[in-house]
Amino acid sequence: MVGSVGSVTVVGESNGKPEPLPEELINPESLLAEDLPIEEEKPKREIVLGRNVHTTCLEVTEPDADDEVTGEREAYMAGVLARYRKSLAERTKHHLGYPYNLDFDYGALAQLQHFSINNLGDPFIESNYGVHSRQFEVGVLDWFARLWELEKNEYWGYITNCGTEGNLHGILVGREVFPDGILYASRESHYSVFKAARMYRMECIKVDTLMSGEIDCADFRNKLLQNKEKPAIINVNIGTTVKGAVDDLDLVIKTLEETGFKHDRFYIHCDGALFGLMMPFVKRAPKVSFKKPIGSVSVSGHKFVGCPMPCGVQITRLEHINALSRNVEYLASRDATIMGSRNGHAPIFLWYTLNRKGYRGFQKEVQKCLRNAHYLKDRLRAAGIGAMLNELSSTVVFERPKDDDFVRRWQLACEGNIAHAIVMPNITIGKLDDFVDELILKRSGWFQDGKILTPCISADIGVDNCACKFHK
């Protein structure tokens, strides 16, 4: 997701050399170049784009035409995969900046890997292709429909290939319901929201955000009043990417109503990629429910749920889907999704996890994540490091480390002057201690001579959360 903080300069070359990760197998990484001060007050980071950048390549070699003995080749490939597995295990130990739950065990599902499972077409209309998992998919959709309080005969949905597809679909439904509607999204909305606007050639208005990252409804009100003649399609963030801010859904709806937008003149899509599955289990959190005038909700399956492959869940009202769907004779089904073929394994993984954990299991994991996130924020602040944690979030925002090697080692997500760590169910207190201890050690070297001052990030996370010499 892209927030409103910081900016990026695209350049043609990198000043740094690729770093091998680890010795056994080098893992391709994006390359960051050194700081380039475009403006005196706001140094910008360089990112290498527009060309193939990789640190290594596992070449595909063709077997000999008369090679009947494959033992040597099989041994070679087995060795490559073993080293790759070791690399994954090492990188997983230092995975802290991206919202993936790596605490799972799907060994029981290995028996299904021999089948090509494809859920093409409408989940609720069986096609001629028989190797599918629609029965699992609909079971998962029913579970999420109950979670968001929408009756079986009133919803439609499907298991998407990723969270972005959920946003693309939700906004597309809104566009089909209101072809002349204007898309409103906060500046800290996920980049896929603005991608959708470009793909669908929609007029898109960016709304300012508060320091927390939450949508500024005062600015939203002003922009609605400037465009009262057109329907409104609104993206509401149930947790922004950078700061983990949760937009106030009730205030968004109230703002729409007070500016003269009746329920038949607006469509709300809720992007709940990570926190959409966490919020229902936080007592003081605002409720995301179809009992409110919302049009769709999407959530990622590979984030808090912990599915090992990217996927997501998209739920919308059944009354809206007819504006989008078309019958496809080739499939003997209806097409109302973004993609054609869909991963038929993903619904089984989601179904398996929902059955194992259920509401109570997720509630325990949410509480654990929130506790550990507060622990991380407190440890950072105690060490004199500026840090912020939104009340309903497990995303801890702090000053950007000066060392890009450290950033890559811990796989931190950075933007402008800040970075963040997302505390997921697999993140233990021990891992957080290792991270903070290493950060403190590295930091002592970055600022030891006094020539470089600890950064001021008050403009990013507020004066109260900044730990520079002016705001301690």
Side-chain angles (χ1 to χ4, degrees), residues 31-50:
L31 303 180
L32 289 175
E34 297 175 359
D35 289 353
L36 179 63
I38 302 300
E39 301 175 5
E40 289 186 6
E41 297 182 356
K42 294 183 179 180
K44 300 181 180 181
R45 312 290 290 191
E46 298 179 0
I47 296 180
V48 177
L49 297 174

Side-chain angles (χ1 to χ4, degrees), residues 169-235:
H169 191 275
I171 293 171
L172 179 59
V173 173
R175 200 280 306 270
E176 293 298 289
V177 174
F178 297 117
D180 61 338
I182 296 176
L183 175 62
Y184 297 85
S186 83
R187 295 185 181 277
E188 299 205 27
S189 297
H190 191 259
Y191 65 84
S192 63
V193 174
F194 306 111
K195 178 192 291 186
R198 294 193 303 272
M199 290 175 64
Y200 305 147
R201 298 180 180 270
M202 299 173 67
E203 182 179 356
C204 179
I205 295 178
K206 292 185 179 181
V207 181
D208 292 340
T209 56
L210 305 176
M211 186 63 70
S212 64
E214 161 184 352
I215 190 171
D216 182 350
C217 280
D219 185 56
F220 181 45
R221 175 189 298 271
N222 292 335
K223 286 170 177 172
L224 285 172
L225 290 173
Q226 294 171 16
N227 299 278
K228 289 187 66 175
E229 72 285 356
K230 290 188 176 182
I233 302 167
I234 308 96
N235 178 78

Side-chain angles (χ1 to χ4, degrees), residues 406-439:
F406 179 84
V407 169
R408 284 194 291 269
R409 170 173 163 79
W410 286 96
Q411 300 165 68
L412 301 177
C414 302
E415 185 177 83
N417 298 317
I418 56 177
H420 74 205
I422 302 180
V423 180
M424 299 297 286
N426 61 291
I427 304 298
T428 63
I429 292 294
K431 179 176 287 191
L432 295 177
D433 283 336
D434 290 343
F435 168 72
V436 176
D437 290 345
E438 186 174 334
L439 177 59

Side-chain angles (χ1 to χ4, degrees), residues 133-160:
S133 62
R134 283 186 181 81
Q135 61 273 49
F136 293 92
E137 183 172 21
V138 174
V140 171
L141 295 172
D142 282 349
W143 190 91
F144 278 95
R146 289 196 303 272
L147 182 70
W148 294 321
E149 300 184 313
L150 191 57
E151 297 296 326
K152 281 188 178 184
N153 61 346
E154 295 179 352
Y155 89 86
W156 185 91
Y158 73 105
I159 306 299
T160 64

